Amino acid sequence: MSDGTETLSRNAEAEATLAGLGSYRWGFSSDIEQELAPRGLNEDTVRYISAKKNEPGWMLEWRLAAFRAWLKMESPGWAKLAIPPIDYQDAHYYAAPRKKPALASLDELDPEIRRTYEKLGIPIEEQKVLAGVEGARKVAVDAVFDSVSVATTFREELKKAGVIFLSISEAIREYPDLVRRHIGSVVPVRDNFFACLNSAVFSDGTFVYVPKGVRCPMELSTYFRINAENTGQFERTLIIADEGAYVSYLEGCTAPMRDEHQLHAAVVELIAETDAEIKYSTVQNWYPGDAQGRGGIFNFVTKRALCRGDRSRVSWTQVETGSAITWKYPSCVLAGADSVGEFYSVAVTNNLQQADTGTKMIHLGPRTRSRIISKGISAGRSSNTYRGLVRVGPSAEGARNFTQCDSLLLGDRCAAHTVPYIEVKHPIAQIEHEATTSKVSDDQKFYAMQRGLPEEEAVALIVNGFCREVLQTLPMEFAVEAQKLLGISLEGSVG
Amino acid sequence: MLAITDLHASVGGTPILKGLTLSVGAGEVHAIMGPNGAGKSTLAHVLAGREGYEVTGGTAVFLGQDLLAMAPHERAAAGLFLGFQYPVEIPGVSNLLFLRTALNAQRKLRGEPEVSGAEFLKRVRAEAQALGLDMEMLKRPVNMGFSGGEKKRNEAFQMGILQPRFALLDETDSGLDIDALKVVADSINRFRGPDRGVLLITHYQRLLDHVRPDRVHILAAGRIVESGGPELALRLEAQGYGAIAA
């Protein structure tokens, strides 16, 4: 292994100028020294990452097995996406802030990182204030900056409740048995090309364990941010709700402006035991590329939940507005009897963005129920596809599914597609699928404008109304953010 | 207050308004009557600035400003309200959210502070009561599942909350039963005042039984062909458009 640590220190002024050229509101990059893995991907890279994180031997072996499997796999081609070839050797697979802090408080955080957060409007300060307010709901922020968690708040209070909320690297060291038992149990290493790659090179992520009968005392929130040039981000998240436990997890992201494509291939695994409930909410706003389609994040994510216990429940809510390409199907395997899976999605594409997103509801247990509400909004010359699978296995007597897919078109150069797959192997099951496609009508727009709304606000209001069913499933603080984001994402798409 | 001079407008290349001249002073209520296809609704849409209605000549000055140069939302903020003949449904957006967003957008453009939640609700309750509108209904999405009469009452409700300077009411009376007609007419009468103007576009005399206009104009083939006092509407009702526009 070469000692290929590079230092990357960039000219903040030039970055600022660059950012000013684009219309991406949060397209900037902060000037922080970074420790990078050598460019390229081979077994040494995997060993480098594992060594950097002081991982136990079993973890390294697991990664290496994944890497060897990945070499034999091919990038999937079935989605309705035009994906340019990705050179997996031309990237750094690990980037960490040079000063790796183990912080007692946010005050010890690298001031440059703090500034970046403030520019992004990530309300760490605000949330600290919120947390101090009597009776206010607390939001714990496990802030992931590039790949390494650099600040964790509210850990003590969570600890009191018995909730484990750590970066996955820490969890591997501190709770190796828990991690080893569950990692890869929902998304197997060889599940798909991108999940397999993630298994080999995942950099960091989040681990949550909520013990039996515990209702997590606050919303858990992680903000992801990609900040190093050419650094693939490979987040790994594992959330376990033990019997009768409840947890709500919020994930939100924005990314700095980049001229080169950035690959993001996360894996999220959720496990709900008997009577447990997990609510997982995402607001995703990665750099979508400019109006000509240059730059932008490639987002190839594998998210899957296992409702293992009877009467367990998992709810996915996603608001996807960013990324040049989105390939993402948060799914539920409904194994426990009477378990429930839900998927609420808003996907917005503008300019040349492409999204192929949806869900898979796999009904295995009897009387399992699932509900899918998908709202796709296409503007510009974008392409927006809903792809969803509802499968009822031979043991899923009395399974029920309801699916509603609505598409909204802005302008006449965008595309919306709905691709439902329905497989029913039990005679006693009830599956419903509804789909609509509509346009923002001139009547609606004029009506709102006549009452005083500027055109873009009028469209944003109408679009928010279209998405209401999904937005109202978000926790309050996210719902407001998501509404604003919808407006911002569609700027320039009218007129 | 509103002065329209020699207004020409086309829709899809077809001339509809052909030299319309009309002036409404502060404190006045005018009614425009006319046969189908005369250009009544076109006039309303042109004044409100709807896309697709092309002004090919003439001027419209509203409170000293060039109305035709303004964007639709600027006209609204300047105080022009259009009561729609066919109010539009907006799924997922509650009436109250819609109205409050609109009110604050107008205030922002006028450089006024946002209206507080409490103040807004106070206005809403008073206006809803006056119009016999159920608060629960107002929390439902804009005009969704409303009957024709409810939609028209909702237009009157919005006018009451937005407090414009000038109300342009396009066939506000159509689709109303007698009781609802009276309620809506009352709201117009409450609205009228010394610094406000109203232009009623209607087919029928019956609204004018409840809202007494200062002036009545007859629009035919894109022009005002006759103007007079309230008695003109009565004559029209008795003799029909044919006799007058001929």
Side-chain angles (χ1 to χ4, degrees), chain A residues 443-444 447 450-451 468, chain B residues 50 76 82 92 106 155 158:
Chain A
D443 284 341
Q444 288 173 334
Y447 191 62
Q450 207 299 308
R451 293 300 180 255
R468 194 179 66 109
Chain B
R50 177 154 192 168
L82 171 61
Q106 287 197 18
E155 292 294 287
Q158 295 185 26

Side-chain angles (χ1 to χ4, degrees), chain B residues 35 218-221 225-226 236 240-246:
Chain B
I218 296 167
L219 177 63
V225 292
E226 190 168 350
L236 201 61
Y241 291 116
I244 286 170

Side-chain angles (χ1 to χ4, degrees), chain A residues 40-351:
Chain A
L41 181 55
N42 52 44
E43 287 202 8
D44 282 345
T45 320
V46 176
R47 287 176 202 282
Y48 176 93
I49 294 167
S50 190
K52 276 285 163 200
K53 299 183 150 312
N54 300 317
E55 287 178 353
W58 63 265
M59 194 73 246
L60 174 61
E61 289 310 314
W62 194 81
R63 285 177 181 273
L64 287 171
F67 178 73
R68 287 162 198 152
W70 179 75
L71 288 176
K72 299 191 190 99
M73 296 175 87
E74 280 185 27
S75 186
W78 43 261
K80 196 166 175 56
L81 300 170
I83 305 170
I86 299 168
D87 183 354
Y88 290 93
Q89 296 303 328
D90 187 29
H92 299 277
Y93 285 83
Y94 181 79
R98 183 166 276 288
K99 298 166 209 149
K100 267 196 272 180
L103 299 177
S105 80
L106 286 173
D107 298 338
E108 297 173 25
L109 193 60
D110 186 327
E112 188 66 27
I113 297 181
R114 286 291 284 278
R115 264 194 294 281
T116 303
Y117 281 147
E118 278 153 26
K119 270 193 269 184
L120 272 170
I122 292 175
I124 282 193
E125 286 297 332
E126 186 188 316
Q127 286 173 3
K128 283 172 84 177
V129 172
L130 265 177
V133 175
E134 192 66 39
R137 202 146 35 116
K138 295 173 181 177
V139 179
V141 179
D142 172 20
V144 174
F145 192 88
D146 276 10
S147 315
V148 174
S149 292
V150 289
T152 303
T153 49
F154 298 112
R155 191 177 285 183
E156 283 309 306
E157 185 165 343
L158 289 170
K159 211 171 171 182
K160 242 183 278 167
V163 176
I164 303 170
F165 179 42
L166 295 169
S167 74
I168 195 126
S169 308
E170 290 171 301
I172 288 166
R173 291 191 297 268
E174 293 176 31
Y175 300 92
D177 294 345
L178 261 182
V179 176
R180 194 172 183 179
R181 183 149 26 113
H182 292 107
I183 194 168
S185 70
V186 184
V187 179
V189 165
R190 290 168 186 78
D191 187 81
N192 67 71
F193 182 81
F194 299 109
C196 192
L197 175 63
N198 173 289
S199 300
V201 299
F202 70 87
S203 37
D204 214 330
T206 304
F207 176 81
V208 180
Y209 173 78
V210 187
K212 275 184 194 174
V214 171
R215 198 179 163 86
C216 186
M218 64 188 77
E219 309 267 4
L220 299 179
S221 158
T222 301
Y223 287 92
F224 297 88
R225 181 155 159 74
I226 300 173
N227 202 54
E229 199 167 5
N230 275 339
T231 303
Q233 277 260 311
F234 302 93
E235 301 289 344
R236 187 95 197 182
T237 300
L238 177 57
I239 299 177
I240 302 153
D242 214 327
E243 287 178 24
Y246 168 83
V247 62
S248 168
Y249 184 86
L250 324 180
E251 168 201 57
C253 359
T254 59
M257 178 157 168
R258 276 286 158 244
D259 203 19
E260 284 173 74
H261 291 301
Q262 285 183 305
L263 176 63
H264 183 101
V267 171
V268 176
E269 297 177 281
L270 311 182
I271 298 164
E273 303 288 4
T274 304
D275 292 313
E277 181 175 354
I278 302 174
K279 200 170 148 52
Y280 193 105
S281 312
T282 305
V283 174
Q284 187 267 115
N285 181 29
W286 280 329
Y287 181 53
D290 65 16
Q292 280 73 47
R294 282 187 302 257
I297 303 292
F298 290 1
N299 194 24
F300 301 104
V301 184
T302 305
K303 289 183 168 177
R304 193 173 304 153
L306 174 59
C307 287
R308 183 149 56 195
D310 294 350
R311 296 171 304 279
S312 57
R313 192 179 186 106
V314 167
S315 178
W316 297 101
T317 299
Q318 61 173 21
V319 176
E320 301 280 323
T321 66
S323 299
I325 300 177
T326 300
W327 180 96
K328 183 183 173 191
Y329 315 90
S331 303
C332 295
V333 178
L334 302 168
D338 300 291
S339 59
V340 178
E342 294 173 320
F343 174 73
Y344 298 98
S345 171
V346 171
V348 181
T349 53
N350 197 358
N351 297 320

Side-chain angles (χ1 to χ4, degrees), chain A residues 335-395:
Chain A
D338 300 291
S339 59
V340 178
E342 294 173 320
F343 174 73
Y344 298 98
S345 171
V346 171
V348 181
T349 53
N350 197 358
N351 297 320
L352 285 168
Q353 279 178 277
Q354 307 175 65
D356 192 303
T357 185
T359 184
K360 288 188 261 185
M361 292 292 175
I362 314 291
H363 294 257
L364 301 177
R367 298 173 307 279
T368 45
R369 282 170 291 150
S370 63
R371 181 177 170 84
I372 299 169
I373 307 288
S374 166
K375 306 279 183 176
I377 299 148
S378 330
R381 284 181 286 158
S382 67
S383 163
N384 200 326
T385 300
Y386 166 82
R387 187 182 303 277
L389 168 68
V390 177
R391 177 184 290 156
V392 176
S395 54

Side-chain angles (χ1 to χ4, degrees), chain B residues 11-25:
Chain B
V11 179
T14 307
I16 307 286
L17 299 182
K18 302 164 185 168
L20 187 146
T21 298
L22 173 70
S23 186
V24 181

